[in-house]
Amino acid sequence: MSRLSRHRSSKKSAQNGLVRPEAGPKLQNLPTSSCFLWTMPAQDANTPPLVSFIAGGVAGGVEAIATYPFEFAKTRVQLRNQSNVPSPKNPFLVVGEVFRREGYRALYKGCSTLVVGSVAKDGVRFLSFDAIKKSFADPETGVMSPLRNLLAGMCTGVVASTFAVTPTERIKTALIDDARNAKRFQSSLHAVRLIYQEYGFMGMYHGYAGTTLKQAGATAFRMGTYNILKDYEKTHTNFANGAVAGTVTTYATQPFDTVKTRSQSAKGASTVDAFRSILADEGVRGFWRGTTMRLGRTIFSGGILFTVYEQVAAILNPLLK
């Protein structure tokens, strides 16, 4: 083939949206298993929806188990203090106090619910993001701009909150709150039964507004930031990219998380009541309660989530294509 023919062939492929002319060489270095590339790769390199769902679910379960003590401490700090019962504000002191009084198993109260929720959440999130991303991509080039990436992430967060996150977060938070108060709930299923009996089906969706705002913002910032870093990286540093994305996510969405936790206590509360109680108890700074522990969890979870996802996807892609 002549040099002119090769040039014309390369130009034609670029016009068809198979590669970005200015980033053609770089795309060869990126793992084809990733569902987060801004540029849509060739059709045979797409990650199948089933792979996205399974890999996302496995990654979510691993991440939830590995980082749960951070989540437990963060939730305890954000919940409203019992009247006349002193409670440490430092999350590390909370962990130490619970460990001394109740043992290490108490630090995993509600963990099974979070694991189930994380498997569903991240399975839905990765799967829906893959589909939503394609609808937001430029129809001619397949390119995802930063704004399109953030919008796709926000839509994904709303889907995940509606179908997975809000109900499981409600049970997890209620279990943690109940363990320090009345101790009515004997298990996750028992908690579901009592909440349903007392509040009906919508009782499972207390804190929906705060959870959805948190998920929409968190998914947009995390996946958007991860994609930006991944698009410009020269080596495969998935853990570092996920950790940086997680840090940005935490500070941007912490107020939503605090309101969500107050709304999903054992007794439950509306989003407005939760907002007012935080403001009355601690002022504006109260909306960032639990940031240290959530930041610790988010840094590790971001790295674990994306690393495990891509490893699992790389294993499943050849098997399920």
Side-chain angles (χ1 to χ4, degrees):
M1 182 183 291
S2 66
R3 182 178 303 177
L4 179 59
S5 298
R6 287 196 302 268
H7 173 73
R8 288 174 176 172
S9 176
S10 174
K11 184 176 180 181
K12 185 177 180 180
S13 297
Q15 290 173 344
N16 288 334
L18 298 179
V19 295
R20 275 171 38 198
E22 70 275 15
K26 186 176 180 181
L27 285 175
Q28 297 173 3
N29 295 327
L30 293 176
T32 57
S33 63
S34 173
C35 68
F36 303 107
L37 302 181
W38 283 3
T39 301
M40 298 293 290
Q43 188 172 3
D44 62 351
N46 284 337
T47 300
L50 182 60
V51 172
S52 292
F53 183 79
I54 295 174
V58 172
V62 171
E63 175 267 327
I65 294 172
T67 63
Y68 191 75
F70 289 102
E71 178 68 16
F72 176 89
K74 184 266 305 180
T75 303
R76 273 285 183 97
V77 167
Q78 289 176 330
L79 288 167
R80 199 166 198 174
N81 291 335
Q82 300 166 263
S83 57
N84 302 322
V85 178
S87 177
K89 294 183 178 181
N90 187 316
F92 293 100
L93 294 178
V94 170
V95 171
E97 184 178 281
V98 172
F99 180 79
R100 285 194 306 271
R101 292 184 177 181
E102 305 173 50
Y104 76 93
R105 293 184 63 181
L107 295 175
Y108 278 84
K109 188 71 173 179
C111 180
S112 60
T113 303
L114 184 66
V115 170
V116 172
S118 294
V119 170
K121 172 191 72 176
D122 288 305
V124 169
R125 185 162 63 178
F126 278 91
L127 176 62
S128 60
F129 183 72
D130 198 33
I132 291 170
K133 181 190 67 173
K134 292 178 183 179
S135 67
F136 275 89
D138 187 285
E140 295 183 359
T141 64
V143 175
M144 285 284 286
S145 67
L147 179 59
R148 288 171 182 259
N149 236 316
L150 291 175
L151 290 174
M154 290 178 68
C155 292
T156 304
V158 173
V159 172
S161 175
T162 302
F163 291 101
V165 181
T166 301
T168 54
E169 284 286 318
R170 165 69 163 130
I171 299 304
K172 179 215 71 178
T173 305
L175 284 168
I176 292 176
D177 187 31
D178 179 73
R180 65 181 191 141
N181 293 313
K183 294 181 172 59
R184 298 168 58 219
F185 302 146
Q186 300 171 8
S187 65
S188 298
L189 291 177
H190 187 237
V192 171
R193 190 158 56 248
L194 286 183
I195 290 174
Y196 179 78
Q197 289 174 356
E198 295 175 3
Y199 301 100
F201 177 76
M202 293 309 297
M204 303 298 297
Y205 278 84
H206 279 174
Y208 176 75
T211 304
T212 303
L213 288 170
K214 173 198 168 185
Q215 287 299 313
T219 308
F221 278 104
R222 176 177 287 189
M223 289 188 165
T225 305
Y226 179 81
N227 278 346
I228 292 171
L229 293 169
K230 190 169 185 62
D231 195 53
Y232 289 104
E233 72 179 0
K234 294 182 180 179
T235 58
H236 303 316
T237 52
N238 295 324
F239 191 95
N241 288 352
V244 173
T247 303
V248 174
T249 298
T250 298
Y251 283 103
T253 63
Q254 184 64 22
F256 301 139
D257 186 69
T258 305
V259 171
K260 171 199 74 70
T261 299
R262 285 286 181 97
S263 298
Q264 295 176 331
S265 62
K267 293 182 179 180
S270 69
T271 300
V272 174
D273 289 340
F275 181 90
R276 288 174 176 171
S277 71
I278 295 168
L279 201 59
D281 291 347
E282 304 170 72
V284 175
R285 293 181 62 182
F287 290 99
W288 274 265
R289 284 290 296 273
T291 300
T292 302
M293 279 300 182
R294 185 170 173 233
L295 181 60
R297 184 196 172 199
T298 305
I299 289 175
F300 284 107
S301 69
I304 293 169
L305 188 66
F306 287 111
T307 301
V308 173
Y309 173 84
E310 295 204 0
Q311 293 299 318
V312 174
I315 294 171
L316 294 179
N317 259 320
L319 302 176
L320 299 178
K321 272 191 175 181

